[in-house]
Coordinates of all heavy atoms in Angstrom, one line a residue:
M1 N -12.6 193.9 178.7 CA -12.4 193.9 177.2 C -10.9 194.0 176.9 O -10.4 193.3 176.0 CB -13.1 195.0 176.6 CG -14.5 194.9 176.2 SD -14.9 193.4 175.4 CE -15.4 193.9 173.9
K2 N -10.2 195.0 177.6 CA -8.8 195.2 177.3 C -8.0 194.0 177.6 O -7.1 193.6 176.8 CB -8.4 196.4 178.1 CG -7.4 197.3 177.5 CD -7.1 198.4 178.4 CE -6.4 199.5 177.6 NZ -6.0 200.6 178.4
E3 N -8.3 193.3 178.7 CA -7.6 192.1 179.1 C -7.9 191.0 178.1 O -6.9 190.3 177.7 CB -8.1 191.7 180.5 CG -7.1 190.7 181.1 CD -7.4 190.4 182.5 OE1 -7.6 191.4 183.3 OE2 -7.4 189.3 182.9
Q4 N -9.0 190.9 177.6 CA -9.4 189.9 176.6 C -8.6 190.1 175.3 O -8.1 189.2 174.6 CB -10.9 189.9 176.3 CG -11.7 189.0 177.2 CD -13.1 189.0 176.8 OE1 -13.6 189.8 176.1 NE2 -13.8 188.0 177.3
A5 N -8.5 191.4 174.9 CA -7.7 191.8 173.7 C -6.3 191.4 173.9 O -5.6 190.9 172.9 CB -7.9 193.3 173.4
R6 N -5.7 191.7 175.1 CA -4.3 191.3 175.3 C -4.1 189.8 175.3 O -3.2 189.3 174.8 CB -3.8 191.9 176.7 CG -3.3 193.3 176.5 CD -2.6 193.8 177.8 NE -3.7 194.3 178.6 CZ -3.6 194.5 179.9 NH1 -2.5 194.1 180.6 NH2 -4.6 195.0 180.6
L7 N -5.0 189.1 175.9 CA -5.0 187.7 175.9 C -5.1 187.1 174.5 O -4.3 186.2 174.1 CB -6.1 187.1 176.8 CG -6.1 185.6 177.0 CD1 -4.8 185.1 177.6 CD2 -7.3 185.2 177.9
K8 N -6.0 187.7 173.8 CA -6.1 187.2 172.4 C -4.8 187.5 171.6 O -4.4 186.7 170.8 CB -7.3 188.0 171.7 CG -7.7 187.4 170.4 CD -9.0 188.1 169.9 CE -9.4 187.6 168.6 NZ -10.6 188.2 168.1
E9 N -4.2 188.7 171.8 CA -3.0 189.0 171.1 C -1.8 188.1 171.5 O -1.1 187.6 170.7 CB -2.6 190.5 171.5 CG -1.4 191.0 170.7 CD -1.1 192.4 171.0 OE1 -2.0 193.2 171.3 OE2 0.1 192.7 171.1
R10 N -1.7 187.8 172.8 CA -0.7 186.9 173.3 C -0.9 185.4 172.7 O 0.0 184.8 172.3 CB -0.7 186.8 174.8 CG 0.0 188.0 175.4 CD 0.3 187.9 176.9 NE -0.2 186.8 177.6 CZ -0.7 186.9 178.9 NH1 -0.7 188.1 179.5 NH2 -1.2 185.9 179.5
I11 N -2.2 185.0 172.7 CA -2.5 183.7 172.1 C -2.1 183.7 170.6 O -1.5 182.8 170.1 CB -4.0 183.4 172.3 CG1 -4.2 183.1 173.8 CG2 -4.3 182.2 171.4 CD1 -5.7 182.9 174.1
G12 N -2.4 184.8 169.9 CA -2.1 184.9 168.5 C -0.6 184.9 168.3 O -0.1 184.2 167.4
Q13 N 0.2 185.6 169.2 CA 1.6 185.6 169.1 C 2.2 184.2 169.4 O 3.1 183.7 168.7 CB 2.2 186.6 170.1 CG 2.1 188.0 169.8 CD 2.6 189.0 170.9 OE1 2.8 188.5 172.0 NE2 2.7 190.2 170.5
R14 N 1.6 183.5 170.4 CA 2.1 182.2 170.7 C 1.8 181.2 169.5 O 2.6 180.4 169.2 CB 1.4 181.7 172.0 CG 1.9 180.3 172.4 CD 3.3 180.4 172.8 NE 3.7 179.0 173.2 CZ 4.9 178.5 172.8 NH1 5.7 179.1 172.1 NH2 5.2 177.2 173.2
V15 N 0.6 181.3 169.0 CA 0.2 180.5 167.8 C 1.2 180.8 166.6 O 1.7 179.9 166.0 CB -1.2 180.7 167.4 CG1 -1.5 180.1 166.0 CG2 -2.2 180.2 168.4
Q16 N 1.5 182.1 166.4 CA 2.5 182.4 165.3 C 3.9 181.8 165.6 O 4.5 181.3 164.7 CB 2.5 183.9 165.2 CG 3.3 184.4 163.9 CD 2.8 183.8 162.6 OE1 1.6 183.8 162.4 NE2 3.7 183.2 161.8
E17 N 4.3 181.9 166.9 CA 5.6 181.3 167.3 C 5.6 179.8 167.0 O 6.6 179.3 166.5 CB 5.9 181.6 168.8 CG 6.3 183.0 169.1 CD 6.4 183.3 170.6 OE1 6.3 182.3 171.4 OE2 6.5 184.4 171.0
M18 N 4.5 179.2 167.4 CA 4.4 177.7 167.1 C 4.5 177.4 165.6 O 5.1 176.5 165.2 CB 3.2 177.2 167.8 CG 3.3 177.2 169.3 SD 1.7 176.8 170.2 CE 1.6 175.0 169.8
K19 N 3.8 178.2 164.9 CA 3.8 178.0 163.4 C 5.2 178.2 162.9 O 5.6 177.4 162.0 CB 2.8 179.0 162.7 CG 1.4 178.7 162.8 CD 0.5 179.7 162.1 CE -1.0 179.4 162.2 NZ -1.7 180.4 161.4
D20 N 5.9 179.3 163.3 CA 7.2 179.6 162.9 C 8.2 178.4 163.2 O 9.0 178.0 162.4 CB 7.7 180.9 163.5 CG 7.0 182.1 162.9 OD1 6.4 182.0 161.9 OD2 7.1 183.2 163.5
Q21 N 8.0 177.9 164.5 CA 8.8 176.7 164.9 C 8.6 175.5 164.0 O 9.5 174.8 163.6 CB 8.6 176.4 166.4 CG 9.2 177.5 167.3 CD 8.8 177.2 168.8 OE1 8.0 176.3 169.1 NE2 9.4 178.0 169.7
A22 N 7.3 175.3 163.8 CA 6.9 174.1 163.0 C 7.4 174.3 161.6 O 8.0 173.3 161.0 CB 5.4 174.0 162.9
N23 N 7.3 175.5 161.0 CA 7.9 175.8 159.6 C 9.4 175.6 159.6 O 9.9 175.0 158.7 CB 7.5 177.2 159.2 CG 6.0 177.3 158.8 OD1 5.4 176.3 158.5 ND2 5.5 178.5 158.8
A24 N 10.1 176.0 160.7 CA 11.5 175.9 160.8 C 11.9 174.4 160.8 O 12.8 173.9 160.2 CB 12.1 176.6 162.0
K25 N 11.1 173.6 161.6 CA 11.4 172.2 161.7 C 11.1 171.5 160.4 O 11.9 170.6 159.9 CB 10.5 171.5 162.8 CG 11.0 171.8 164.2 CD 10.1 171.1 165.2 CE 10.6 171.5 166.6 NZ 9.8 170.8 167.7
V26 N 10.0 171.9 159.7 CA 9.7 171.3 158.4 C 10.9 171.6 157.4 O 11.3 170.7 156.6 CB 8.4 171.8 157.9 CG1 8.2 171.5 156.4 CG2 7.2 171.2 158.7
L27 N 11.3 172.8 157.4 CA 12.4 173.2 156.5 C 13.7 172.4 156.8 O 14.4 171.9 155.9 CB 12.7 174.7 156.7 CG 13.8 175.3 155.8 CD1 13.5 175.1 154.3 CD2 14.0 176.8 156.1
A28 N 14.0 172.3 158.1 CA 15.2 171.5 158.5 C 15.1 170.1 158.1 O 16.0 169.5 157.5 CB 15.4 171.6 160.0
L29 N 13.9 169.5 158.3 CA 13.7 168.1 157.9 C 13.7 167.9 156.4 O 14.2 166.9 155.9 CB 12.3 167.6 158.4 CG 12.3 167.4 160.0 CD1 10.9 167.0 160.4 CD2 13.3 166.3 160.4
S30 N 13.2 168.9 155.7 CA 13.3 168.9 154.2 C 14.7 168.9 153.7 O 15.1 168.2 152.8 CB 12.5 170.1 153.6 OG 11.1 169.9 153.8
E31 N 15.5 169.7 154.3 CA 16.9 169.8 154.0 C 17.6 168.5 154.3 O 18.4 168.0 153.5 CB 17.6 170.9 154.7 CG 17.2 172.3 154.2 CD 17.7 173.5 155.0 OE1 18.4 173.2 156.0 OE2 17.5 174.6 154.6
E32 N 17.3 167.9 155.5 CA 17.9 166.6 155.8 C 17.5 165.5 154.8 O 18.3 164.7 154.4 CB 17.4 166.2 157.2 CG 18.2 166.8 158.3 CD 17.7 166.3 159.7 OE1 17.6 165.1 159.9 OE2 17.5 167.2 160.6
L33 N 16.2 165.5 154.4 CA 15.7 164.6 153.5 C 16.4 164.7 152.1 O 16.8 163.7 151.5 CB 14.2 164.7 153.3 CG 13.5 163.8 152.2 CD1 13.7 162.4 152.6 CD2 12.1 164.2 152.1
C34 N 16.6 166.0 151.7 CA 17.3 166.2 150.4 C 18.7 165.7 150.5 O 19.2 165.1 149.6 CB 17.2 167.7 150.1 SG 17.9 168.2 148.6
E35 N 19.4 166.0 151.6 CA 20.7 165.5 151.8 C 20.8 164.0 151.8 O 21.7 163.3 151.2 CB 21.3 166.1 153.1 CG 22.8 165.8 153.3 CD 23.7 166.3 152.2 OE1 23.4 167.4 151.6 OE2 24.7 165.6 151.8
A36 N 19.8 163.4 152.5 CA 19.8 161.9 152.6 C 19.5 161.3 151.2 O 20.1 160.3 150.8 CB 18.7 161.5 153.5
Q37 N 18.7 162.0 150.4 CA 18.4 161.5 149.0 C 19.7 161.6 148.2 O 20.0 160.7 147.4 CB 17.3 162.3 148.4 CG 15.9 161.9 148.9 CD 14.8 162.8 148.5 OE1 15.1 164.0 148.1 NE2 13.6 162.3 148.4
K38 N 20.4 162.7 148.3 CA 21.7 162.8 147.6 C 22.7 161.8 148.0 O 23.3 161.2 147.1 CB 22.3 164.2 147.8 CG 21.6 165.4 147.2 CD 22.3 166.7 147.5 CE 21.6 167.9 147.0 NZ 22.2 169.1 147.4
Q39 N 22.8 161.5 149.3 CA 23.7 160.5 149.8 C 23.3 159.1 149.3 O 24.1 158.3 148.9 CB 23.7 160.5 151.3 CG 24.8 159.6 151.9 CD 26.2 160.1 151.6 OE1 26.5 161.2 151.6 NE2 27.0 159.1 151.2
A40 N 22.0 158.8 149.3 CA 21.5 157.6 148.8 C 21.8 157.4 147.3 O 22.3 156.3 146.9 CB 20.0 157.4 149.0
E41 N 21.7 158.4 146.5 CA 22.0 158.4 145.1 C 23.5 158.1 144.9 O 23.9 157.3 144.1 CB 21.6 159.7 144.4 CG 21.8 159.7 142.9 CD 21.0 158.6 142.2 OE1 19.9 158.3 142.7 OE2 21.5 158.0 141.2
E42 N 24.3 158.8 145.7 CA 25.8 158.6 145.7 C 26.1 157.2 146.0 O 27.0 156.5 145.4 CB 26.5 159.6 146.6 CG 26.6 161.0 146.1 CD 27.2 161.9 147.1 OE1 28.0 161.4 148.0 OE2 27.0 163.1 147.0
N43 N 25.5 156.7 147.1 CA 25.7 155.3 147.5 C 25.3 154.3 146.4 O 26.0 153.3 146.2 CB 25.0 155.0 148.8 CG 25.6 155.7 150.0 OD1 26.7 156.2 149.9 ND2 24.9 155.7 151.1
R44 N 24.2 154.6 145.7 CA 23.8 153.7 144.6 C 24.8 153.7 143.5 O 25.1 152.7 143.0 CB 22.4 154.1 144.1 CG 21.2 153.6 145.0 CD 19.9 153.8 144.3 NE 19.5 155.1 144.1 CZ 18.8 155.8 145.1 NH1 18.5 155.3 146.2 NH2 18.5 157.1 144.9
A45 N 25.3 154.9 143.2 CA 26.3 155.0 142.1 C 27.6 154.2 142.6 O 28.2 153.5 141.7 CB 26.6 156.4 141.8
K46 N 28.0 154.4 143.8 CA 29.2 153.7 144.3 C 29.0 152.2 144.3 O 29.9 151.4 143.9 CB 29.5 154.2 145.7 CG 30.1 155.6 145.8 CD 30.4 156.0 147.2 CE 30.9 157.4 147.3 NZ 31.1 157.8 148.7
A47 N 27.8 151.8 144.7 CA 27.5 150.3 144.7 C 27.5 149.8 143.3 O 28.1 148.7 143.0 CB 26.1 150.1 145.3
A48 N 26.9 150.5 142.3 CA 27.0 150.1 140.9 C 28.4 150.0 140.4 O 28.8 149.0 139.7 CB 26.1 151.0 140.0
S49 N 29.2 151.0 140.8 CA 30.6 151.0 140.4 C 31.3 149.8 141.0 O 32.1 149.1 140.3 CB 31.3 152.3 140.8 OG 32.6 152.3 140.5
A50 N 31.1 149.6 142.3 CA 31.7 148.4 143.0 C 31.3 147.1 142.4 O 32.1 146.2 142.2 CB 31.4 148.5 144.5
E51 N 30.0 147.0 142.0 CA 29.5 145.8 141.3 C 30.2 145.6 140.0 O 30.6 144.4 139.7 CB 28.0 145.8 141.2 CG 27.2 145.6 142.4 CD 25.8 145.8 142.2 OE1 25.3 146.0 141.1 OE2 25.0 145.7 143.3
A52 N 30.4 146.7 139.3 CA 31.1 146.6 138.0 C 32.5 146.1 138.1 O 33.0 145.3 137.4 CB 31.0 147.9 137.2
M53 N 33.2 146.7 139.2 CA 34.6 146.4 139.4 C 34.7 144.9 139.9 O 35.6 144.2 139.5 CB 35.1 147.3 140.5 CG 35.4 148.7 140.0 SD 35.9 149.9 141.2 CE 37.3 149.2 142.0
A54 N 33.7 144.5 140.7 CA 33.7 143.1 141.2 C 33.5 142.1 140.0 O 34.2 141.1 139.9 CB 32.6 142.9 142.2
A55 N 32.6 142.5 139.1 CA 32.4 141.6 137.9 C 33.6 141.6 137.0 O 34.0 140.5 136.5 CB 31.2 142.2 137.1
A56 N 34.3 142.7 136.9 CA 35.5 142.8 136.1 C 36.6 141.9 136.7 O 37.3 141.2 136.1 CB 36.0 144.2 135.9
A57 N 36.7 142.0 138.1 CA 37.7 141.3 138.8 C 37.4 139.8 138.7 O 38.3 139.0 138.6 CB 37.8 141.7 140.3
Q58 N 36.1 139.4 138.8 CA 35.7 138.0 138.7 C 36.1 137.5 137.3 O 36.6 136.4 137.2 CB 34.2 137.9 139.0 CG 33.8 136.6 139.4 CD 32.3 136.6 139.8 OE1 31.5 137.4 139.3 NE2 32.0 135.8 140.8
S59 N 35.8 138.3 136.3 CA 36.1 137.9 134.9 C 37.6 137.7 134.8 O 38.1 136.8 134.1 CB 35.6 138.9 133.9 OG 36.0 138.6 132.6
E60 N 38.4 138.7 135.3 CA 39.8 138.6 135.2 C 40.4 137.4 136.0 O 41.3 136.7 135.5 CB 40.4 139.9 135.8 CG 41.9 140.0 135.6 CD 42.4 141.4 136.1 OE1 41.8 142.4 136.0 OE2 43.5 141.4 136.7
A61 N 39.8 137.1 137.1 CA 40.2 135.9 137.9 C 39.9 134.7 137.1 O 40.7 133.7 137.1 CB 39.5 135.9 139.3
A62 N 38.7 134.6 136.5 CA 38.3 133.5 135.7 C 39.3 133.3 134.5 O 39.7 132.2 134.2 CB 36.9 133.6 135.2
S63 N 39.6 134.4 133.9 CA 40.6 134.4 132.8 C 42.0 133.9 133.2 O 42.6 133.1 132.6 CB 40.8 135.7 132.1 OG 39.6 136.1 131.5
A64 N 42.4 134.4 134.4 CA 43.6 134.0 135.0 C 43.6 132.5 135.3 O 44.6 131.8 135.0 CB 44.0 134.8 136.2
A65 N 42.5 132.1 135.9 CA 42.4 130.6 136.2 C 42.4 129.8 135.0 O 43.0 128.8 134.9 CB 41.1 130.4 137.0
N66 N 41.7 130.3 133.9 CA 41.7 129.6 132.6 C 43.1 129.6 132.0 O 43.5 128.6 131.5 CB 40.7 130.2 131.7 CG 39.2 129.9 132.0 OD1 39.0 129.0 132.7 ND2 38.3 130.7 131.5
G67 N 43.7 130.7 132.2 CA 45.1 130.8 131.7 C 46.0 129.9 132.4 O 46.9 129.2 131.8
A68 N 45.9 129.8 133.8 CA 46.7 128.9 134.6 C 46.3 127.5 134.2 O 47.2 126.6 134.1 CB 46.4 129.2 136.0
A69 N 45.1 127.2 134.1 CA 44.7 125.8 133.7 C 45.2 125.5 132.3 O 45.7 124.4 132.1 CB 43.1 125.7 133.7
A70 N 45.1 126.4 131.4 CA 45.6 126.2 130.1 C 47.2 126.0 130.1 O 47.7 125.1 129.4 CB 45.3 127.4 129.1
S71 N 47.8 126.7 130.9 CA 49.3 126.5 131.1 C 49.6 125.2 131.6 O 50.5 124.5 131.2 CB 49.9 127.6 132.0 OG 49.8 128.9 131.4
E72 N 48.8 124.8 132.6 CA 49.0 123.4 133.2 C 48.7 122.3 132.2 O 49.5 121.4 132.1 CB 48.1 123.3 134.4 CG 48.3 122.0 135.2 CD 47.3 121.9 136.4 OE1 47.0 122.9 137.0 OE2 46.9 120.8 136.7
V73 N 47.7 122.5 131.5 CA 47.3 121.5 130.4 C 48.5 121.5 129.4 O 48.9 120.4 128.9 CB 46.0 121.8 129.8 CG1 45.7 121.0 128.5 CG2 44.9 121.6 130.8
Q74 N 48.9 122.6 129.0 CA 50.0 122.7 128.0 C 51.3 122.0 128.6 O 51.9 121.3 127.8 CB 50.3 124.2 127.7 CG 51.2 124.4 126.5 CD 50.6 124.0 125.2 OE1 49.4 124.1 125.1 NE2 51.4 123.5 124.3
A75 N 51.5 122.2 129.8 CA 52.7 121.6 130.4 C 52.5 120.1 130.5 O 53.5 119.3 130.1 CB 52.9 122.1 131.9
R76 N 51.3 119.6 130.8 CA 51.1 118.2 130.9 C 51.1 117.6 129.5 O 51.6 116.5 129.2 CB 49.7 117.9 131.5 CG 49.7 118.0 133.0 CD 48.5 117.4 133.6 NE 47.3 117.9 133.0 CZ 46.2 118.4 133.6 NH1 46.2 118.4 134.9 NH2 45.2 118.8 133.0
L77 N 50.6 118.4 128.5 CA 50.7 117.9 127.1 C 52.1 117.8 126.6 O 52.5 116.8 126.0 CB 49.9 118.9 126.2 CG 50.0 118.6 124.7 CD1 49.3 117.3 124.4 CD2 49.3 119.7 123.9
G78 N 53.0 118.8 127.0 CA 54.4 118.7 126.6 C 55.0 117.5 127.3 O 55.8 116.8 126.6
S79 N 54.7 117.2 128.5 CA 55.2 116.1 129.3 C 54.8 114.8 128.6 O 55.6 113.9 128.4 CB 54.8 116.1 130.7 OG 55.2 115.0 131.4
A80 N 53.5 114.7 128.2 CA 53.0 113.5 127.6 C 53.6 113.3 126.2 O 53.9 112.2 125.8 CB 51.4 113.7 127.4
E81 N 53.8 114.4 125.5 CA 54.5 114.3 124.2 C 55.9 113.8 124.3 O 56.4 112.9 123.5 CB 54.5 115.6 123.4 CG 53.1 116.0 122.9 CD 53.1 117.4 122.3 OE1 54.0 118.2 122.6 OE2 52.1 117.7 121.6
A82 N 56.6 114.3 125.4 CA 58.0 113.8 125.6 C 58.0 112.4 126.0 O 58.8 111.6 125.5 CB 58.6 114.7 126.7
E83 N 57.0 112.0 126.8 CA 56.9 110.5 127.2 C 56.6 109.7 126.0 O 57.2 108.6 125.8 CB 55.9 110.4 128.3 CG 55.8 109.0 128.9 CD 54.8 108.9 130.0 OE1 54.4 109.9 130.5 OE2 54.4 107.7 130.3
A84 N 55.7 110.2 125.1 CA 55.4 109.4 123.9 C 56.6 109.3 123.0 O 56.8 108.2 122.4 CB 54.2 110.1 123.2
E85 N 57.4 110.3 122.9 CA 58.6 110.3 122.1 C 59.6 109.2 122.7 O 60.2 108.5 121.9 CB 59.2 111.6 122.0 CG 60.4 111.7 121.1 CD 60.0 111.4 119.6 OE1 58.9 111.7 119.2 OE2 60.9 110.8 119.0
Q86 N 59.7 109.2 124.0 CA 60.6 108.2 124.6 C 60.1 106.8 124.4 O 60.8 105.9 124.1 CB 60.6 108.4 126.1 CG 61.5 109.6 126.6 CD 61.4 109.9 128.1 OE1 60.5 109.4 128.8 NE2 62.4 110.7 128.6
L87 N 58.7 106.6 124.5 CA 58.2 105.3 124.2 C 58.4 104.9 122.8 O 58.6 103.7 122.5 CB 56.7 105.3 124.6 CG 56.4 105.4 126.1 CD1 54.9 105.5 126.3 CD2 56.9 104.1 126.8
R88 N 58.2 105.8 121.8 CA 58.5 105.5 120.4 C 59.9 105.1 120.2 O 60.2 104.2 119.5 CB 58.1 106.7 119.5 CG 56.6 106.9 119.3 CD 56.3 107.9 118.2 NE 56.6 109.2 118.5 CZ 55.7 110.1 119.1 NH1 54.5 109.6 119.4 NH2 56.1 111.3 119.4
A89 N 60.8 105.9 120.8 CA 62.2 105.5 120.7 C 62.5 104.1 121.3 O 63.3 103.3 120.7 CB 63.1 106.6 121.4
E90 N 62.0 103.9 122.4 CA 62.2 102.6 123.1 C 61.5 101.5 122.2 O 62.1 100.4 122.0 CB 61.5 102.6 124.5 CG 61.7 101.3 125.3 CD 63.1 101.0 125.6 OE1 64.0 101.9 125.6 OE2 63.4 99.8 125.9
S91 N 60.4 101.8 121.6 CA 59.7 100.8 120.8 C 60.6 100.5 119.5 O 60.8 99.4 119.1 CB 58.4 101.3 120.3 OG 57.7 100.4 119.5
A92 N 61.1 101.6 119.0 CA 62.0 101.4 117.8 C 63.3 100.6 118.2 O 63.7 99.7 117.4 CB 62.4 102.8 117.3
R93 N 63.8 100.8 119.4 CA 65.0 100.1 119.8 C 64.7 98.6 120.0 O 65.4 97.7 119.6 CB 65.5 100.7 121.1 CG 66.8 100.1 121.6 CD 67.3 100.7 122.9 NE 66.4 100.3 124.0 CZ 66.5 99.1 124.7 NH1 67.5 98.2 124.3 NH2 65.8 98.8 125.6
L94 N 63.5 98.4 120.6 CA 63.1 97.0 120.8 C 62.8 96.3 119.5 O 63.1 95.1 119.3 CB 61.8 96.9 121.7 CG 62.1 97.3 123.2 CD1 60.7 97.3 123.9 CD2 63.0 96.3 123.9
E95 N 62.2 97.0 118.6 CA 61.9 96.5 117.2 C 63.2 96.1 116.5 O 63.3 95.0 115.9 CB 61.2 97.5 116.4 CG 60.6 97.0 115.1 CD 59.5 96.0 115.4 OE1 58.7 96.2 116.3 OE2 59.4 95.0 114.6
A96 N 64.2 97.0 116.7 CA 65.5 96.7 116.1 C 66.2 95.4 116.7 O 66.8 94.6 116.1 CB 66.5 97.9 116.3
L97 N 66.0 95.3 118.1 CA 66.6 94.1 118.7 C 65.9 92.9 118.3 O 66.5 91.8 118.1 CB 66.4 94.3 120.3 CG 67.4 95.3 120.9 CD1 67.1 95.4 122.4 CD2 68.8 94.8 120.8
L98 N 64.5 92.9 118.1 CA 63.8 91.8 117.6 C 64.3 91.4 116.2 O 64.4 90.2 115.9 CB 62.3 92.1 117.6 CG 61.6 92.0 118.9 CD1 60.1 92.5 118.8 CD2 61.5 90.5 119.4
Q99 N 64.5 92.3 115.4 CA 65.0 92.0 114.0 C 66.4 91.4 114.1 O 66.6 90.4 113.3 CB 65.0 93.3 113.2 CG 63.6 93.7 112.7 CD 63.7 95.0 111.8 OE1 64.7 95.6 111.6 NE2 62.5 95.4 111.4
Q100 N 67.2 91.9 114.9 CA 68.5 91.3 115.1 C 68.4 89.9 115.6 O 69.2 89.0 115.1 CB 69.4 92.1 116.1 CG 70.0 93.4 115.5 CD 70.8 94.1 116.5 OE1 70.9 93.7 117.7 NE2 71.4 95.2 116.1
A101 N 67.5 89.7 116.6 CA 67.4 88.3 117.1 C 66.9 87.4 116.0 O 67.3 86.2 116.0 CB 66.4 88.4 118.3
E102 N 65.9 87.8 115.2 CA 65.4 87.0 114.2 C 66.5 86.7 113.1 O 66.5 85.5 112.6 CB 64.2 87.6 113.5 CG 62.9 87.5 114.4 CD 61.7 88.0 113.6 OE1 61.7 88.2 112.4 OE2 60.8 88.4 114.3
Q103 N 67.3 87.6 112.8 CA 68.3 87.4 111.8 C 69.4 86.4 112.3 O 70.0 85.7 111.6 CB 69.0 88.7 111.5 CG 68.1 89.6 110.6 CD 68.8 90.9 110.3 OE1 69.9 91.2 110.9 NE2 68.1 91.7 109.5
Q104 N 69.6 86.4 113.7 CA 70.6 85.5 114.2 C 70.1 84.1 114.4 O 70.9 83.2 114.5 CB 71.1 86.0 115.6 CG 71.9 87.2 115.5 CD 72.4 87.7 116.9 OE1 72.0 87.2 117.9 NE2 73.2 88.8 116.8
R105 N 68.8 83.9 114.2 CA 68.3 82.5 114.3 C 68.7 81.7 113.1 O 69.0 81.4 112.3 CB 66.8 82.5 114.3 CG 66.3 82.7 115.7 CD 64.8 82.3 115.7 NE 64.1 83.0 116.7 CZ 62.8 83.0 116.8 NH1 62.1 82.3 116.0 NH2 62.2 83.6 117.7

């Protein structure tokens, strides 16, 4: 009987040790899970911030491209206007020459 009582006590102690180890592992895993959840939330916030920054940069790039395109169009327009002015001047000069030629007939 005494030996059975000691065996029962050792088994009880071993079971308690196993429970304690299991509880410690559960606690450690819970802490890891909590930390992982915090990290995931931080990563989501960083990703959202990065997406917002990318969208802003894309918009800025589009504006810059539009601005560059507008500047290019403006430059071509200025060039076309200058060419048109030259053509008008040449046309006026030719018109004057034609009038002179008709008067000399």
Side-chain angles (χ1 to χ4, degrees):
M1 273 316 245
K2 215 174 193 187
E3 198 172 311
Q4 275 185 338
R6 273 191 273 158
L7 185 56
K8 190 176 181 180
E9 187 179 324
R10 284 194 348 221
I11 290 173
Q13 286 175 346
R14 183 66 184 136
V15 167
Q16 187 59 46
E17 286 174 8
M18 290 172 70
K19 284 181 181 179
D20 291 344
Q21 288 174 352
N23 287 337
K25 285 182 182 181
V26 167
L27 181 61
L29 290 173
S30 292
E31 289 173 357
E32 282 183 46
L33 176 61
C34 184
E35 186 60 35
Q37 287 172 333
K38 287 179 186 176
Q39 188 64 43
E41 185 61 35
E42 286 177 18
N43 289 348
R44 279 192 291 274
K46 287 178 183 177
S49 176
E51 286 175 4
M53 289 172 56
Q58 202 171 33
S59 175
E60 188 174 322
S63 292
N66 287 341
S71 294
E72 184 179 326
V73 168
Q74 190 68 32
R76 284 193 308 226
L77 178 61
S79 176
E81 287 173 342
E83 187 177 342
E85 186 60 35
Q86 286 176 342
L87 290 172
R88 281 192 289 274
E90 182 66 18
S91 178
R93 187 183 71 81
L94 289 174
E95 192 67 38
L97 284 174
L98 278 173
Q99 284 181 357
Q100 280 180 356
E102 281 186 22
Q103 287 176 356
Q104 288 179 356
R105 273 196 212 174

